[in-house]
Amino acid sequence: MGALQEPTAAMGPYRVEIRGESFYLNRIDAPAGVVTQPGRYEVTVPVADAPQIPAALDQVTGHPQWQRWTRPAQGEQPDTSWTLPPDKQGPAADSHWTVTVDGDRLHIRGPWVVHHEVHRNLLGTELGYRDMTELRKSITDATRDLALPAG
């Protein structure tokens, strides 16, 4: 169990729950078609979400728990074995983020497990704190040349 945070206006439909070494990132108002889940480790959201996701990450880095988590040792490689399916069949998630823009869609793939509950219009995932900096950079790099509204 974690600490639910009060969303800021800049976060749009994103919500954060802080935990010990990770956090939950949820998108409310995530009906099918607006959000898609092409695979276990990937999601497609509107490109307009690009400034809202980093705003949610700002809420995480501003929380006291962010300062307390144990940082990986210099050169330590990420371990994504926790992302394997329950039956242990199939590959684990990529250890790095891939973010691409395709028209009005933002495609994000990386070290997480995505759950899209279409019947509840809810998109949810758990992210390790260690993966946040690269996610933010990947989103920023992919959308740098787009005219997006500020969060």
Side-chain angles (χ1 to χ4, degrees), residues 25-146:
L25 177 65
N26 297 306
R27 186 188 197 279
I28 60 171
D29 189 25
V34 171
V35 171
T36 61
Q37 183 186 356
R40 181 175 172 82
Y41 312 122
E42 56 192 318
V43 66
T44 303
V45 297
V47 75
D49 286 14
Q52 297 168 343
I53 297 170
L57 302 181
D58 288 345
Q59 190 174 63
V60 174
T61 57
H63 190 276
Q65 189 64 38
W66 166 254
Q67 299 302 325
R68 294 186 193 119
W69 75 278
T70 305
R71 300 318 201 244
Q74 183 72 20
E76 182 181 334
Q77 295 300 309
D79 175 14
T80 59
S81 62
W82 66 271
T83 66
L84 286 169
D87 63 4
K88 306 294 185 218
Q89 300 298 308
D94 300 340
S95 58
H96 297 284
W97 296 98
T98 303
V99 178
T100 56
V101 175
D102 183 12
D104 64 349
R105 311 297 296 157
L106 185 67
H107 185 85
I108 306 170
R109 181 179 174 86
W112 60 1
V113 176
V114 178
H115 303 281
H116 187 197
E117 298 178 36
V118 178
H119 65 286
R120 292 179 51 203
N121 290 334
L122 180 68
L123 176 71
T125 188
E126 182 176 2
L127 288 99
Y129 290 147
R130 71 177 296 148
D131 298 315
M132 287 182 41
T133 302
E134 184 183 346
L135 174 58
R136 178 190 304 277
K137 182 178 181 331
S138 296
I139 291 172
T140 301
D141 289 350
T143 60
R144 176 170 291 135
D145 297 328
L146 301 177

